[in-house]
Amino acid sequence: MNYSLDDLIQEAIKLNETPNFSLDEFLFKEQIEFVRDPAKYAVATCSVRAGKTTACAADLIDTALTKPGTTGCYITLARTSAEAIVWPDLRRIDREYKLNAEINLSKLTMALPNGSWIRLYGGNEEGEIEKIRGLSNVALVYIDEAQAFRQHI
C-alpha cells in the first residue's frame, strides 16, 4: 500500500498527540465516588489492591491541574513508604500524560507548570509534620493509614 507524505505526517501527528488527563476516564466508578465525596473528611475502607493509592494519586494530579498555584499533600507513616506507595503512580501519570512536572526525588515533590505542587511526607517524625503546618494554598491532603499515626499528628 502506498502512503502519501501527508498521510505519513498525519499518522505521526496522531502518534505524538498526548491525551488530556481526565479523572473520569482514568478512574473507575467507586474511585471517582471516593475522590469526589463532598464531605470535608472521607475515609476509604476497602481491601488491599482496591485502587485507593491510584485514586489518591489521580486526584492529587487532577487537583493540581485544575487549581493552579495550590498544593496537594500525601502523608503516610514514613517518607520511604510515600516514595514506595504513591510516587510511582504520580510519576506514571506525569509521564503518560506529558504533564512536564518538575520532579525532585530527594524532596519527593512535583512542581507543575501552572504553579501547583504535590508534596509527599512521612508522618513518623514531628519535624516533617511541622513542615506541613506551614504550607499555604493547600487544596487537598491524603493521609494513608491514618489510624496508625501517633498523637503528634
Side-chain angles (χ1 to χ4, degrees), residues 50-64:
K52 298 178 296 289
T53 301
T54 300
C56 293
D59 195 26
L60 285 163
I61 294 281
D62 184 67
T63 301

Side-chain angles (χ1 to χ4, degrees), residues 42-109:
V43 176
T45 306
C46 43
S47 66
V48 174
R49 308 291 307 155
K52 298 178 296 289
T53 301
T54 300
C56 293
D59 195 26
L60 285 163
I61 294 281
D62 184 67
T63 301
L65 292 172
T66 58
K67 296 181 179 179
T70 60
T71 298
C73 300
Y74 185 91
I75 307 165
T76 191
L77 291 172
R79 189 179 182 286
T80 54
S81 297
E83 184 176 357
I85 294 169
V86 74
W87 193 244
D89 284 337
L90 291 168
R91 296 287 306 268
R92 179 175 55 89
I93 295 168
D94 176 57
R95 188 175 50 255
E96 287 179 10
Y97 291 90
K98 297 181 179 151
L99 302 178
N100 299 317
E102 185 179 315
I103 306 295
N104 186 321
L105 184 57
S106 65
K107 293 183 178 181
L108 292 182
T109 61

